[in-house]
mmCIF file of all heavy atoms in Angstrom:
data_model
loop_
_atom_site.group_PDB
_atom_site.id
_atom_site.type_symbol
_atom_site.label_atom_id
_atom_site.label_comp_id
_atom_site.label_asym_id
_atom_site.label_seq_id
_atom_site.Cartn_x
_atom_site.Cartn_y
_atom_site.Cartn_z
ATOM 1 N N TYR A 500 -77.966 79.931 -5.241
ATOM 2 C CA TYR A 500 -77.252 79.415 -6.416
ATOM 3 C C TYR A 500 -77.535 77.936 -6.618
ATOM 4 O O TYR A 500 -76.711 77.188 -7.093
ATOM 5 C CB TYR A 500 -75.755 79.686 -6.280
ATOM 6 C CG TYR A 500 -75.492 81.137 -5.999
ATOM 7 C CD1 TYR A 500 -75.267 81.600 -4.709
ATOM 8 C CD2 TYR A 500 -75.543 82.057 -7.033
ATOM 9 C CE1 TYR A 500 -75.082 82.947 -4.455
ATOM 10 C CE2 TYR A 500 -75.355 83.408 -6.790
ATOM 11 C CZ TYR A 500 -75.122 83.846 -5.499
ATOM 12 O OH TYR A 500 -74.955 85.173 -5.265
ATOM 13 N N GLN A 501 -78.729 77.481 -6.181
ATOM 14 C CA GLN A 501 -79.053 76.063 -6.292
ATOM 15 C C GLN A 501 -79.378 75.688 -7.731
ATOM 16 O O GLN A 501 -79.788 76.532 -8.534
ATOM 17 C CB GLN A 501 -80.237 75.735 -5.393
ATOM 18 C CG GLN A 501 -81.472 76.518 -5.747
ATOM 19 C CD GLN A 501 -82.723 76.008 -5.017
ATOM 20 O OE1 GLN A 501 -83.435 75.353 -5.451
ATOM 21 N NE2 GLN A 501 -83.021 76.322 -3.893
ATOM 22 N N TYR A 502 -79.191 74.425 -8.035
ATOM 23 C CA TYR A 502 -79.574 73.814 -9.318
ATOM 24 C C TYR A 502 -78.994 74.511 -10.537
ATOM 25 O O TYR A 502 -79.660 74.644 -11.552
ATOM 26 C CB TYR A 502 -81.092 73.753 -9.449
ATOM 27 C CG TYR A 502 -81.772 72.944 -8.375
ATOM 28 C CD1 TYR A 502 -82.995 73.324 -7.840
ATOM 29 C CD2 TYR A 502 -81.184 71.775 -7.884
ATOM 30 C CE1 TYR A 502 -83.616 72.578 -6.857
ATOM 31 C CE2 TYR A 502 -81.793 71.030 -6.901
ATOM 32 C CZ TYR A 502 -83.007 71.436 -6.385
ATOM 33 O OH TYR A 502 -83.605 70.699 -5.421
ATOM 34 N N LEU A 503 -77.767 75.018 -10.439
ATOM 35 C CA LEU A 503 -77.101 75.493 -11.638
ATOM 36 C C LEU A 503 -76.680 74.258 -12.428
ATOM 37 O O LEU A 503 -76.256 73.260 -11.853
ATOM 38 C CB LEU A 503 -75.881 76.334 -11.273
ATOM 39 C CG LEU A 503 -76.201 77.607 -10.492
ATOM 40 C CD1 LEU A 503 -74.918 78.280 -10.058
ATOM 41 C CD2 LEU A 503 -77.029 78.539 -11.325
ATOM 42 N N THR A 504 -76.829 74.324 -13.720
ATOM 43 C CA THR A 504 -76.533 73.130 -14.520
ATOM 44 C C THR A 504 -75.034 73.038 -14.816
ATOM 45 O O THR A 504 -74.319 74.037 -14.744
ATOM 46 C CB THR A 504 -77.337 73.142 -15.824
ATOM 47 O OG1 THR A 504 -77.193 74.416 -16.419
ATOM 48 C CG2 THR A 504 -78.793 72.862 -15.560
ATOM 49 N N PRO A 505 -74.568 71.849 -15.158
ATOM 50 C CA PRO A 505 -73.132 71.655 -15.389
ATOM 51 C C PRO A 505 -72.600 72.577 -16.479
ATOM 52 O O PRO A 505 -73.263 72.809 -17.478
ATOM 53 C CB PRO A 505 -73.045 70.201 -15.842
ATOM 54 C CG PRO A 505 -74.241 69.555 -15.287
ATOM 55 C CD PRO A 505 -75.307 70.590 -15.249
ATOM 56 N N LYS A 506 -71.420 73.097 -16.229
ATOM 57 C CA LYS A 506 -70.859 74.041 -17.188
ATOM 58 C C LYS A 506 -69.347 73.886 -17.264
ATOM 59 O O LYS A 506 -68.675 73.850 -16.239
ATOM 60 C CB LYS A 506 -71.201 75.465 -16.752
ATOM 61 C CG LYS A 506 -70.633 76.540 -17.650
ATOM 62 C CD LYS A 506 -71.110 77.906 -17.200
ATOM 63 C CE LYS A 506 -70.579 78.975 -18.131
ATOM 64 N NZ LYS A 506 -71.057 80.297 -17.761
ATOM 65 N N VAL A 507 -68.863 73.791 -18.474
ATOM 66 C CA VAL A 507 -67.422 73.865 -18.701
ATOM 67 C C VAL A 507 -67.180 75.173 -19.420
ATOM 68 O O VAL A 507 -67.840 75.470 -20.399
ATOM 69 C CB VAL A 507 -66.932 72.693 -19.578
ATOM 70 C CG1 VAL A 507 -65.424 72.711 -19.675
ATOM 71 C CG2 VAL A 507 -67.405 71.378 -19.007
ATOM 72 N N LYS A 508 -66.219 75.967 -18.917
ATOM 73 C CA LYS A 508 -66.100 77.325 -19.431
ATOM 74 C C LYS A 508 -65.792 77.367 -20.921
ATOM 75 O O LYS A 508 -66.357 78.140 -21.655
ATOM 76 C CB LYS A 508 -65.015 78.073 -18.651
ATOM 77 C CG LYS A 508 -65.636 79.028 -17.653
ATOM 78 C CD LYS A 508 -64.587 79.896 -17.031
ATOM 79 C CE LYS A 508 -65.108 80.526 -15.750
ATOM 80 N NZ LYS A 508 -64.049 80.780 -14.809
ATOM 81 N N PHE A 509 -64.899 76.508 -21.377
ATOM 82 C CA PHE A 509 -64.487 76.663 -22.771
ATOM 83 C C PHE A 509 -65.495 76.068 -23.759
ATOM 84 O O PHE A 509 -65.322 76.178 -24.955
ATOM 85 C CB PHE A 509 -63.075 76.111 -23.012
ATOM 86 C CG PHE A 509 -62.927 74.647 -22.767
ATOM 87 C CD1 PHE A 509 -63.270 73.732 -23.752
ATOM 88 C CD2 PHE A 509 -62.426 74.175 -21.558
ATOM 89 C CE1 PHE A 509 -63.125 72.384 -23.523
ATOM 90 C CE2 PHE A 509 -62.288 72.838 -21.337
ATOM 91 C CZ PHE A 509 -62.646 71.950 -22.309
ATOM 92 N N LEU A 510 -66.559 75.447 -23.223
ATOM 93 C CA LEU A 510 -67.610 74.965 -24.119
ATOM 94 C C LEU A 510 -68.723 75.985 -24.248
ATOM 95 O O LEU A 510 -69.770 75.709 -24.803
ATOM 96 C CB LEU A 510 -68.190 73.649 -23.611
ATOM 97 C CG LEU A 510 -67.319 72.414 -23.767
ATOM 98 C CD1 LEU A 510 -68.002 71.215 -23.158
ATOM 99 C CD2 LEU A 510 -67.008 72.142 -25.224
ATOM 100 N N ASP A 511 -68.481 77.209 -23.730
ATOM 101 C CA ASP A 511 -69.519 78.232 -23.706
ATOM 102 C C ASP A 511 -70.091 78.476 -25.098
ATOM 103 O O ASP A 511 -69.367 78.701 -26.049
ATOM 104 C CB ASP A 511 -68.917 79.536 -23.158
ATOM 105 C CG ASP A 511 -69.889 80.201 -22.219
ATOM 106 O OD1 ASP A 511 -71.028 79.716 -22.127
ATOM 107 O OD2 ASP A 511 -69.499 81.186 -21.586
ATOM 108 N N GLY A 512 -71.389 78.407 -25.179
ATOM 109 C CA GLY A 512 -72.038 78.709 -26.439
ATOM 110 C C GLY A 512 -72.185 77.534 -27.383
ATOM 111 O O GLY A 512 -72.843 77.631 -28.401
ATOM 112 N N THR A 513 -71.598 76.379 -27.039
ATOM 113 C CA THR A 513 -71.699 75.239 -27.948
ATOM 114 C C THR A 513 -73.026 74.500 -27.774
ATOM 115 O O THR A 513 -73.442 73.775 -28.658
ATOM 116 C CB THR A 513 -70.569 74.240 -27.699
ATOM 117 O OG1 THR A 513 -70.597 73.901 -26.317
ATOM 118 C CG2 THR A 513 -69.226 74.809 -28.065
#
Side-chain angles (χ1 to χ4, degrees):
Chain A
Y500 307 98
Q501 60 170 262
Y502 300 143
L503 297 174
T504 48
K506 178 176 182 178
V507 186
K508 257 188 198 151
F509 63 83
L510 287 177
D511 221 353
T513 54

